[in-house]
Amino acid sequence: MSESRDIIYIGKKPLMSYVTSALIQLANQPKIFIKARGLSIGHAVDVAQIIARKTENAGYAVGNIKIGSEQMQSQDGRSRNVSTIEIEVKRTNS
């Protein structure tokens, strides 16, 4: 699919650390993917929006968005579904 260098996985760090990391990757690559699961999905959307809105003049935009779910094992051993999101952020004027 895509190399791991063009994927930003969203976790528990502050939003701006992900924004900074994404902008560094976008300086070297034409597009990146922001991925998150479960409760981190809101943070992934925030990161993508910050990049697209605050750097509009720099030519970055949100591309395709994929949503889905994964089956995971919970701590008590039961299987459960967890929502996922993948947001493409790309340069518009390469």
Side-chain angles (χ1 to χ4, degrees):
M1 187 161 126
S2 55
E3 291 182 21
S4 61
R5 284 185 286 163
D6 63 356
I7 299 174
I8 306 291
Y9 292 100
I10 303 299
K12 297 181 181 188
K13 293 180 186 174
L15 282 179
M16 291 311 290
S17 67
Y18 295 112
V19 171
T20 303
S21 179
L23 289 173
I24 289 169
Q25 293 302 321
L26 282 167
N28 300 319
Q29 300 180 28
K31 64 182 175 181
I32 62 163
F33 297 94
I34 299 170
K35 292 187 174 188
R37 292 192 296 209
L39 298 174
S40 297
I41 289 175
H43 291 298
V45 172
D46 291 342
V47 170
Q49 288 298 302
I50 289 170
I51 293 168
R53 289 189 179 159
K54 300 294 183 186
T55 62
E56 215 172 350
N57 296 333
Y60 298 120
V62 174
N64 295 326
I65 300 172
K66 296 179 187 174
I67 58 172
S69 62
E70 294 179 358
Q71 268 203 339
M72 296 187 71
Q73 191 105 3
S74 63
Q75 291 179 348
D76 61 2
R78 291 189 293 172
S79 177
R80 64 185 183 105
N81 289 330
V82 177
S83 299
T84 62
I85 192 166
E86 178 181 292
I87 305 169
E88 178 187 34
V89 178
K90 58 186 177 177
R91 270 189 244 147
T92 56
N93 53 358
S94 297

